[in-house]
């Protein structure tokens, strides 16, 4: 009888410790996700501010209206390109690998030949890489089957009203 009471006390203590550790780990993950979200918002604001400082450009809301397809529009045009909004630490790298395994050419594994020996590698995880992809008209020429980027405001500028983006993302619960 005494042994079973000791075991119950130990199991209750173990459950409490486990509960405390689980709560701390969830709080830590939540704080990490919060800081990641803040970082993404900060990057997107910086991209928008840089674009405005370099000559005003087109306001983001106008770009969103013309260069993105309304998600409620069921009509899929041949010129529409999927734009995967990669949120760090949500399985985005695995998703990109999955799309590459399906045989899709993504902006993460894109190298464009410019002649016999010269190759340009596109990096859509940086503003400079997105601007380079825009200059090379990656979307308009249909070179990539899917664009993967964490920088939505900069990436929207790659598209136009004839070649619109269908934005999607994967999110996980902490």
């Amino acid at each position: 009888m005494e042994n079973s009471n000791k075991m119950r006390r130990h199991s209750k203590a173990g459950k409490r410790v486990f509960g405390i550790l689980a709560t701390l780990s969830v709080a830590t993950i939540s704080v990490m996700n919060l800081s990641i979200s803040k970082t993404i918002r900060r990057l997107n604001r910086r991209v928008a501010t840089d674009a405005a400082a370099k000559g005003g450009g087109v306001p983001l809301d106008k770009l969103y209206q013309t260069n993105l397809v309304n998600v409620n529009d069921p009509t899929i045009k041949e010129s529409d390109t999927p734009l995967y909004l990669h949120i760090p630490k949500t399985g985005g790298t695995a998703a990109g690998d999955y799309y590459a395994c399906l045989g899709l050419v993504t902006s993460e594994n894109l190298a464009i030949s410019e002649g016999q020996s010269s190759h340009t590698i596109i990096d859509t995880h940086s503003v400079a890489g997105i601007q380079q992809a825009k200059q090379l008209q990656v979307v308009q020429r249909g070179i990539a089957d899917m664009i993967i980027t964490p920088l939505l405001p900069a990436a929207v500028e790659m598209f136009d009203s004839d070649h619109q983006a269908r934005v999607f993302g994967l999110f996980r619960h902490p």
Side-chain angles (χ1 to χ4, degrees):
M1 185 76 164
E2 192 175 313
N3 279 343
S4 65
N5 284 340
K6 278 185 180 178
M7 288 189 58
R8 257 190 237 137
R9 247 184 284 133
H10 288 298
S11 66
K12 282 185 179 179
K15 286 179 184 177
R16 273 191 226 118
V17 169
F18 177 76
I20 291 169
L21 290 175
T23 304
L24 288 174
S25 65
V26 168
T28 303
I29 290 170
S30 297
V31 168
M32 285 173 37
N33 283 340
L34 196 70
S35 67
I36 290 169
S37 298
K38 284 181 182 177
T39 303
I40 291 170
R41 279 196 302 266
R42 204 174 314 122
L43 281 171
N44 286 339
R45 264 193 308 249
R46 187 172 18 169
V47 168
T49 305
D50 289 349
K54 288 181 182 173
V58 180
L60 281 178
D61 59 342
K62 187 71 171 170
L63 279 177
Y64 288 161
Q65 289 173 4
T66 58
N67 296 1
L68 301 180
V69 177
N70 185 341
V71 293
N72 295 323
D73 183 7
T75 310
I76 299 175
K77 297 183 292 189
E78 184 74 26
S79 60
D80 290 351
T81 304
L83 174 67
Y84 173 51
L85 179 59
H86 180 189
I87 308 296
K89 305 295 182 200
T90 60
T93 304
D97 293 344
Y98 172 73
Y99 297 127
C101 284
L102 289 176
L104 296 175
V105 177
T106 66
S107 60
E108 289 186 326
N109 58 7
L110 186 62
I112 300 174
S113 296
E114 295 179 14
Q116 293 288 332
S117 61
S118 159
H119 292 309
T120 302
I121 297 174
I122 305 296
D123 174 25
T124 54
H125 282 73
S126 70
V127 175
I130 290 172
Q131 289 172 347
Q132 183 182 26
K134 181 181 176 182
Q135 288 173 345
L136 294 171
Q137 294 186 325
V138 169
V139 173
Q140 288 76 8
R141 291 168 49 194
I143 296 171
D145 296 319
M146 178 183 299
I147 305 296
I148 300 174
T149 183
L151 303 171
L152 185 61
V156 169
E157 293 182 14
M158 293 172 49
F159 298 88
D160 56 36
S161 59
D162 295 327
H163 303 90
Q164 294 178 309
R166 286 202 173 255
V167 179
F168 72 101
L170 298 176
F171 304 92
R172 69 176 178 88
H173 190 279

